[in-house]
């Protein structure tokens, strides 16, 4: 029965999209079933619509034959599930062919894109036009989908770091195949559609982020104007316990707008992971990398227990004043507060040896890590951080990195807290102890995501080729999520293996299920993704 | 049957709340049925729950007996409907008794309130504690509910002017009487609940703003840290056509963060309405006040065709730099760019006569208008703008102003556009011609609400005591909404008389109706408010 339905659906999708856009070859499917952790979920087919109309028709067919589909944009949701569907048996609905930039306004600073548009594509688009607008980029991959990352509420490094907060005017295909536009977009020729988020009446954008209520086929993204002057800052904190005073010192600056961007603070493990792979030789192959060894390495390589980066944006005078305030706030709390601008970076790159001799700063190595981060703070996408997914591999990352294909193990856990030192310290200590105890390295970054929010990204890196590692890493991640939750720290985003970890019972869950039942009575869209299946639906769906 | 149901519901509400909290006396009901325009809607009773639990039970009773209820917080939604329900026969559910400030954090800058908490109450609360946090206030009334205004997506004058964008963690009673908390609030002791908006999974806050999907019984509001230095600026533009160049000059400053607050630009009619009532004597009683007469008055009273105000927030150096940029941007586009800080204001108030002599600036009159606006830019609520609702009355506003009781006619229309000069000019011209043609005065203010959005508030002021005026004003407002819509300018907010004016058919409307049907199958909550009644519901509801 299931197979009959699936086969019929596949035939109808093939009629709709053409045989090249319905992929059922084993190698392609097996590749898509592989992520940075194991799920065992099977993917019976991949379908590739090229337009909103085709997406609508694909969903109508899915409904007709009760075949669940799982939409992906670029499928680079690494650490949270890559392309893998939230349940076994879902047909992948790959939106990668919808890669048009459909609107752009230099004066008002926005661009309207389809789900296949990647970070690299938008960056190239802006460069080509000599645009004075900056995009915000995540460190994930240059081939990451803008819509995919935004709807997952991912973030980057500029003042527009909170992606979902800087987007609007969604075009959404609902599970039944109908399509809507949110905000003022529903009205004919509404001038404010791409600039004003709320529209009139209930605001529905939030419904479609981190959910399985619809497929976003178009979105407007706001772009920041290039500032007259840009200066990055870097600092470090020698002691692990220093994070508390540091975070408390930064909060007022984030709240009063002196720091306007999503500044990052990374622990020593995170920095080491960005610099190199696991030090197999130095440790004689033993894992995990324990604190004393880590301390030795960070002394040798000259970075701190915590390492901060951020940037100041404005006129020269605005940046100068922000610099003064930042210096004052961080005095005594950090060592080596360094400022870097384009001119200094060019000089440094050109005369790095000389510069090292003058400043005593190990610049060459530092630059290899700093440059991509420096670029990210100007909205320049980079693949550099991707190399860190090869942390525990025994072979060096290839030029064409692909953590899914290369069986890099990666699980992410992302608790959120208020920007307060005590919270930062508690999360760091709990995480460090727990992850080391499980035999992995606690790689932690903390981002001042909004004026009040500290977003922590904790990555557990491992090698999927080692038998048993996946189960051990998952047990570690699961316990971490649980312990953080018990301490009041909940993740802003979930991997497909952890969707049920934060689902509660009670009226909120019931409301989500009721909404799901209303919007997707046959349960054909990404079942289990952030919203658990309604009881009613499971009775009627196959 | 209806009466039986209503009477039974009233008895049960009385059992629940006590006889004092179920009001059925004719004078009270008649007062509540009166707003700044006529609806003819009758209110059979007012019920006044004091807690979330009571609200839940009230809704359960409403469901049991199919009696529609219409929630109000302070009921001061003047110009959009005051306390009047969106449909006749709704029982008013008055949340005014729920007036607790339930949480406050000076360091993280937030306060958590119930719907009865007013602007004045929060302001007094902050003063009492010597807080260094500023609230954002609207000019509507000091007794305006914070939650009411925020859920209607109202706005104020500081960098936190977009109220809904600066709130989170809603507690919502759903129509069936169950209660949820949005964002991380649904999890036990989640530290980030009051600081991080999105939570995990679908974000539902937007669903409950401008809707009839639930009753917000608690909300967290972010408060801005008091800046080291504050300076207001004022400017004017002598020619009506100057608005275009002015708006284009301000946009880059709003986008790059030089102007961080919701700056306002008011036309001559709006300023006159703030200064005084209709010039009955000068016009010999004739209406409307035509352009030539208006030009004479503005020359005599020394204000411009457009009059701007805004403020700069930061350290002294930050404000100084912003001032430099603002001066440069507005050069040649405005006359009389003036800066005002606390010291200058104190001096001016003390020595206003002397100051006038020195500066040639008619300070006393100016101060009477400027001071409340100056205060609003620092988040100080004021009742001063309320006087303008008495514009067309023949008697002076009483000390205890109440536009509903005093039959002040007021209709608001609030189109939104991108911050572009051409749009501003088109809206202004269309509005001015149309409203004058209908025999009223075009009072217009334009607010740089967000980095990209211009929010226009157009008020039509009249005297409800004059027979026929209400119908004429409504015809004017209706045509204005329609003409603006045809030109691509849609309102961000609607009066209860205009709810159907912007309802379209098609999938978006159907989605809203499906959501309504799911959340409120008996249609008992604020029927017709922003969401039209589902076809199914109307069959089952009485």
């Amino acid at each position: 029965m299931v197979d009959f339905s699936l086969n019929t659906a596949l035939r109808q999708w093939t009629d709709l999209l053409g045989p090249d856009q319905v992929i059922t070859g084993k190698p392609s499917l097996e590749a898509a079933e592989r992520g940075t952790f194991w799920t065992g979920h099977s993917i019976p087919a991949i379908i590739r619509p090229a337009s909103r109309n085709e997406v609508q028709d694909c969903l109508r067919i899915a409904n007709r034959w009760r075949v669940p589909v799982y939409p992906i944009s670029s499928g680079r949701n690494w650490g949270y599930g890559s392309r893998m569907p939230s349940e076994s048996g879902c047909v992948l609905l790959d939106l990668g062919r919808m890669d048009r930039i459909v609107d752009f306004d230099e004066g008002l600073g926005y661009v309207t894109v389809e789900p296949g548009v990647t970070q690299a594509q938008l960056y190239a688009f802006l460069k080509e036009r000599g645009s004075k607008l900056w995009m915000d980029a995540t460190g994930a991959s240059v081939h990451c989908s803008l819509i995919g990352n935004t709807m997952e509420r991912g973030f980057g490094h500029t003042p527009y770091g909170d992606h979902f907060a800087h987007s609007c005017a969604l075009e959404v295909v609902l599970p039944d195949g109908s399509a809507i536009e949110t905000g003022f977009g529903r009205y004919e020729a509404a001038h404010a559609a791409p600039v004003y988020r709320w529209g009139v009446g209930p605001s529905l954008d939030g419904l479609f982020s981190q959910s399985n209520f619809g497929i976003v086929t178009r979105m407007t993204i706001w772009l920041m104007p290039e500032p007259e002057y840009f200066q990055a800052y870097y600092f470090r904190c020698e002691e692990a316990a220093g994070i508390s005073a540091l975070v408390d010192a930064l909060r007022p600056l984030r709240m009063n707008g002196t720091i306007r961007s999503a500044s990052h603070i990374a622990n020593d493990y995170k920095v080491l992971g960005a610099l190199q792979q696991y030090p197999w030789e130095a440790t004689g192959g033993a894992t995990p990398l324990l604190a004393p060894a880590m301390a030795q390495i960070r002394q040798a390589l000259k970075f701190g227990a915590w390492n901060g980066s951020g940037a100041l944006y404005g006129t020269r005078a605005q940046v100068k004043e922000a610099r003064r305030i930042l210096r004052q706030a961080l005095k005594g709390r950090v060592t080596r507060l360094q400022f870097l601008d384009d001119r200094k970076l060019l000089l440094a790159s050109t005369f790095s040896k000389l510069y090292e001799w003058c400043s005593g700063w190990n610049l060459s190595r530092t630059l290899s890590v700093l440059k991509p981060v420096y670029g990210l703070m100007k909205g320049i996408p980079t693949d550099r951080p991707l190399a860190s997914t090869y942390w525990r591999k025994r072979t060096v990352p290839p030029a064409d990195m692909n953590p899914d294909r290369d069986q890099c193990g990666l699980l992410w856990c992302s608790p959120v807290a208020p920007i307060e030192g005590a919270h930062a310290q508690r999360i760091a200590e709990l995480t460090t102890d727990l992850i080391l105890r499980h035999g992995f390295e606690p790689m932690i970054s903390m981002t001042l995501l909004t004026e009040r929010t500290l977003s922590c990204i904790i990555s557990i890196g491992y090698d999927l080729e080692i038998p048993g590692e996946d189960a051990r890493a998952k047990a570690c991640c699961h316990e971490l999520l649980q312990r953080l939750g018990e301490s009041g720290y909940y993740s802003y985003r979930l991997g497909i293996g952890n969707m049920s970890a934060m689902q509660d019972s009670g009226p909120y869950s019931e409301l989500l299920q009721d909404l799901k039942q209303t919007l997707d009575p046959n349960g054909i869209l990404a079942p289990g993704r952030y919203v658990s299946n309604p009881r009613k639906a499971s009775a009627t769906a196959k």
Side-chain angles (χ1 to χ4, degrees), chain A:
Chain A
M1 168 64 177
V2 170
D3 280 342
F4 166 76
S5 297
L6 175 64
N7 288 336
T8 316
L10 285 173
R11 210 162 40 238
Q12 296 192 350
W13 281 324
T14 306
D15 288 346
L16 174 69
L17 308 173
D20 292 352
Q21 308 308 339
V22 178
I23 294 153
T24 50
K26 229 175 160 42
S28 297
L29 299 183
E30 279 176 2
E33 287 162 0
R34 215 175 286 143
T36 65
F37 52 88
W38 294 109
T39 62
H41 294 173
S42 72
I43 298 171
I46 303 171
I47 55 176
R48 299 170 21 98
S51 69
R52 192 202 68 189
N53 283 345
E54 288 188 357
V55 172
Q56 294 180 271
D57 285 338
C58 283
L59 290 190
R60 290 186 185 116
I61 294 169
N63 265 297
R64 199 173 306 140
W65 302 103
R66 305 286 197 271
V67 177
V69 298
Y70 188 84
I72 56 165
S73 297
S74 72
R76 284 171 173 78
N77 196 18
W78 286 317
Y80 295 112
S82 306
R83 282 183 290 178
M84 300 182 296
S86 46
E87 277 188 10
S88 194
C90 289
V91 167
L92 276 198
L93 189 125
D94 180 346
L95 301 160
R97 289 171 70 209
M98 295 181 66
D99 61 353
R100 290 181 310 148
I101 294 175
V102 293
D103 192 12
F104 171 66
D105 192 305
E106 175 81 21
L108 288 166
Y110 69 79
V111 65
T112 304
V113 300
E114 292 185 332
V117 175
T118 65
Q119 300 200 109
Q121 190 182 345
L122 176 57
Y123 184 72
F125 175 90
L126 295 173
K127 284 297 115 178
E128 254 170 45
R129 270 152 197 76
S131 171
K132 293 284 181 198
L133 297 168
W134 285 0
M135 60 183 282
D136 187 275
T138 73
S141 161
V142 299
H143 302 300
C144 213
S145 155
L146 297 164
I147 286 186
N149 184 270
T150 300
M151 297 317 291
E152 276 298 288
R153 302 203 287 258
F155 56 85
H157 301 240
T158 73
Y160 285 33
D162 184 353
H163 290 171
F164 190 64
H166 292 87
S167 68
C168 75
L170 310 179
E171 178 187 78
V172 187
V173 175
L174 301 177
D176 69 359
S178 60
I180 61 161
E181 288 179 75
T182 67
F184 282 129
R186 64 166 151 151
Y187 297 113
E188 188 79 8
H191 298 296
V195 297
Y196 184 66
R197 158 187 299 287
W198 312 121
V200 66
S203 168
L204 303 183
D205 291 6
L207 267 190
F208 301 104
S209 74
Q210 292 193 354
S211 84
N212 54 12
F213 293 157
I215 298 177
V216 176
T217 48
R218 210 170 63 205
M219 182 177 77
T220 293
I221 298 170
W222 297 328
L223 303 170
M224 71 175 276
E226 176 183 329
E228 178 190 305
Y229 183 55
F230 167 90
Q231 197 170 43
Y233 58 84
Y234 301 89
F235 56 80
R236 61 195 212 217
C237 193
E238 306 300 337
E239 301 299 327
I243 187 71
S244 182
L246 174 59
V247 165
D248 282 330
L250 290 172
R251 184 183 61 249
L253 276 56
R254 188 70 174 97
M255 278 181 65
N256 71 21
T258 300
I259 298 177
R260 292 166 52 206
S261 62
S263 310
H264 290 232
I265 309 167
N267 77 346
D268 42 10
Y269 287 98
K270 184 89 174 182
V271 172
L272 187 63
L275 279 172
Q276 60 169 64
Q277 288 176 279
Y278 192 86
W280 294 115
E281 281 194 30
T283 55
T287 56
L289 186 65
L290 294 171
M294 183 69 248
Q296 277 186 345
I297 293 173
R298 87 179 175 242
Q299 280 218 316
L301 299 186
K302 299 219 185 302
F303 53 83
W306 293 100
N307 306 273
S309 63
L312 306 171
Y313 305 79
T315 62
R316 286 200 168 258
Q318 283 169 338
V319 170
K320 185 181 166 194
E321 173 65 358
R323 199 164 59 227
R324 181 188 71 78
I325 299 170
L326 187 66
R327 265 192 222 282
Q328 196 175 44
L330 293 185
K331 202 174 172 184
R333 292 185 174 87
V334 303
T335 50
R336 298 208 150 271
L337 174 59
Q338 307 262 358
F339 293 91
L340 196 60
D341 62 11
D342 288 351
R343 201 170 139 268
K344 210 165 166 182
L345 186 66
L346 185 66
L347 271 174
S349 308
T350 316
F351 305 106
S352 63
K353 284 289 158 219
L354 182 66
Y355 193 86
E356 276 171 45
W357 181 78
C358 298
S359 67
W361 191 18
N362 185 346
L363 194 62
S364 315
R365 197 196 321 268
T366 312
L367 277 179
S368 77
V369 186
L370 289 198
K371 263 189 177 173
V373 177
Y374 183 91
L376 277 173
M377 293 189 285
K378 302 176 79 173
I380 304 172
T382 170
D383 264 340
R384 184 69 176 70
L386 198 53
S388 66
T389 59
Y390 290 77
W391 166 247
R392 282 280 197 107
K393 302 300 283 187
R394 299 279 184 158
T395 50
V396 292
D400 163 32
M401 291 183 285
N402 181 336
D404 295 338
R405 178 199 60 204
D406 297 335
Q407 302 198 44
C408 304
L410 179 65
L411 289 166
W412 271 350
C413 174
S414 36
V416 176
I419 303 181
E420 285 190 327
H423 290 304
Q425 189 162 3
R426 213 177 311 153
I427 291 173
E429 287 176 358
L430 189 161
T431 301
T432 303
D433 291 352
L434 193 150
I435 293 186
L436 283 173
R437 184 158 49 73
H438 278 266
F440 301 99
E441 289 73 36
M443 298 186 174
I444 306 172
S445 78
M446 298 195 177
T447 302
L448 306 179
L449 180 56
T450 71
E451 283 86 344
R452 291 163 180 77
T453 309
L454 195 68
S455 189
C456 308
I457 302 291
I458 302 164
S459 56
I460 302 170
Y462 57 105
D463 185 350
L464 263 175
E465 284 173 292
I466 298 175
E469 279 284 88
D470 188 57
R472 282 193 291 276
K474 276 180 188 151
C476 174
C477 186
H478 186 80
E479 193 187 332
L480 183 61
L481 265 172
Q482 197 170 1
R483 289 286 308 284
L484 286 168
E486 285 161 12
S487 304
Y489 306 110
Y490 298 90
S491 280
Y492 90 95
R493 182 174 177 181
L494 294 171
I496 56 157
N498 292 319
M499 289 296 169
S500 59
M502 279 172 64
Q503 268 157 10
D504 51 347
S505 56
Y508 194 95
S509 244
E510 283 164 21
L511 171 59
L512 290 183
Q513 290 179 35
D514 288 348
L515 294 174
K516 180 67 177 172
Q517 173 66 23
T518 302
L519 288 162
D520 185 13
N522 298 320
I524 55 104
L525 190 62
R529 182 170 183 80
Y530 286 105
V531 177
S532 54
N533 297 326
R535 287 143 305 173
K536 294 181 241 172
S538 51
T540 55
K542 75 181 176 72

